[in-house]
């Protein structure tokens, strides 16, 4: 069975979805790693018996030192793939060159790279928004695209409705991309 390591920073909703849909069914989530000691996803991973590692970026002098430690921790699990699922760190070339990783981004790249992508997508003039799963590269949200899910903005009466819809489809897109890459279907 293929193994992945999931990196996350927040509530862990994407991690939760992957645990429910894929873990021990189509692949094994060998570990979950967070940079945030207060992340809600820690409890979710532990509920499933998945090892959790906390690598707090604030404990490191710079990005390279943090990424070096992060790469070391990931390599301890020998994953077939590393999945960034709401991991809110800009990674260095050292990470991109050392780890086979994909990232979930909540916009149709190349539009809206970086932070606050859902809001910027909602406010732009395009009739659709969506999500992208792409390979991690040294360029922020710039790696080769694996897949995109589009969502028409028409019909949403508020940003909150649109935001919630994006958050729903991103989970499905991420699971599909993981299985496409690992051929786990």
């Amino acid at each position: 069975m293929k193994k992945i390591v999931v990196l996350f920073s927040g509530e862990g909703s994407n991690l939760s979805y992957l645990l429910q849909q894929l873990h021990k069914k189509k692949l094994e989530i060998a570990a979950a790693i967070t940079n945030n000691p207060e992340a809600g996803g820690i409890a979710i991973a532990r509920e499933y018996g998945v090892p959790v590692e906390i690598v707090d970026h604030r404990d490191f002098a710079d990005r390279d030192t943090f990424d070096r430690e992060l790469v070391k921790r990931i390599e301890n699990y020998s994953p077939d793939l590393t999945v960034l699922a709401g991991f809110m760190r800009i990674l260095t070339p050292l990470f991109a060159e050392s780890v086979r990783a994909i990232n979930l981004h909540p916009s149709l790249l190349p539009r809206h790279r970086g932070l606050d992508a859902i809001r910027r997508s909602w406010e732009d003039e395009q009739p659709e928004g969506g999500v992208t799963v792409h390979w991690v590269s040294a360029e922020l949200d710039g790696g080769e695209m694996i897949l995109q899910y589009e969502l028409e903005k028409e019909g949403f009466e508020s940003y909150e409705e649109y935001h919630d819809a994006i958050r729903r489809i991103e989970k499905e897109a991420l699971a599909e991309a993981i299985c496409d890459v690992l051929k786990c279907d």
Side-chain angles (χ1 to χ4, degrees):
M1 186 172 279
K2 303 277 182 160
K3 292 191 310 187
I4 66 171
V5 169
V6 178
L7 307 184
F8 67 98
S9 295
E11 64 192 51
S13 63
N14 294 318
L15 172 62
S16 178
Y17 185 86
L18 297 177
L19 285 162
Q20 292 168 25
Q21 299 299 315
L22 302 179
H23 185 56
K24 303 215 181 222
K25 297 172 185 161
K26 297 185 178 199
L27 53 80
E28 175 190 353
I29 299 179
I33 302 175
T34 184
N35 65 310
N36 176 6
E38 306 299 318
I42 294 168
I44 293 168
R46 287 182 176 151
E47 282 177 32
Y48 282 83
V50 171
V52 177
E53 297 208 27
I54 300 167
V55 185
D56 190 338
H57 62 276
R58 294 168 291 203
D59 294 341
F60 297 86
D62 54 42
R63 288 185 190 279
D64 280 335
T65 308
F66 170 76
D67 280 7
R68 196 170 293 108
E69 179 63 21
L70 186 59
V71 167
K72 183 175 123 188
R73 301 281 185 104
I74 291 166
E75 288 174 345
N76 285 338
Y77 295 96
S78 303
D80 297 291
L81 184 68
T82 298
V83 177
L84 282 63
F87 190 64
M88 304 305 291
R89 295 290 302 158
I90 296 174
L91 297 163
T92 65
L94 173 116
F95 180 93
E97 293 163 9
S98 302
V99 177
R100 182 176 187 243
I102 64 173
N103 181 50
L104 170 65
H105 186 74
S107 79
L108 295 175
L109 291 173
R111 289 189 257 154
H112 314 299
R113 293 178 184 191
L115 295 174
D116 208 20
I118 300 174
R119 176 159 307 276
R120 290 185 291 136
S121 171
W122 171 250
E123 293 173 350
D124 76 13
E125 297 174 2
Q126 301 297 324
E128 73 286 319
V131 300
T132 304
V133 181
H134 63 91
W135 289 102
V136 172
S137 72
E139 180 184 356
L140 177 65
D141 295 326
E144 181 183 342
M145 182 178 51
I146 297 166
L147 64 78
Q148 289 185 316
Y149 277 18
E150 284 191 10
L151 181 67
E152 295 295 322
K153 291 193 270 185
E154 185 178 325
F156 291 104
E157 295 188 20
S158 69
Y159 166 72
E160 289 73 22
E161 284 181 12
Y162 176 73
H163 177 274
D164 291 347
I166 291 290
R167 295 299 310 267
R168 277 192 302 276
I169 67 168
E170 71 182 4
K171 293 162 181 46
E172 296 167 13
L174 184 58
E176 181 180 333
I178 291 167
C179 282
D180 285 354
V181 167
L182 294 179
K183 314 252 184 287
C184 63
D185 282 339

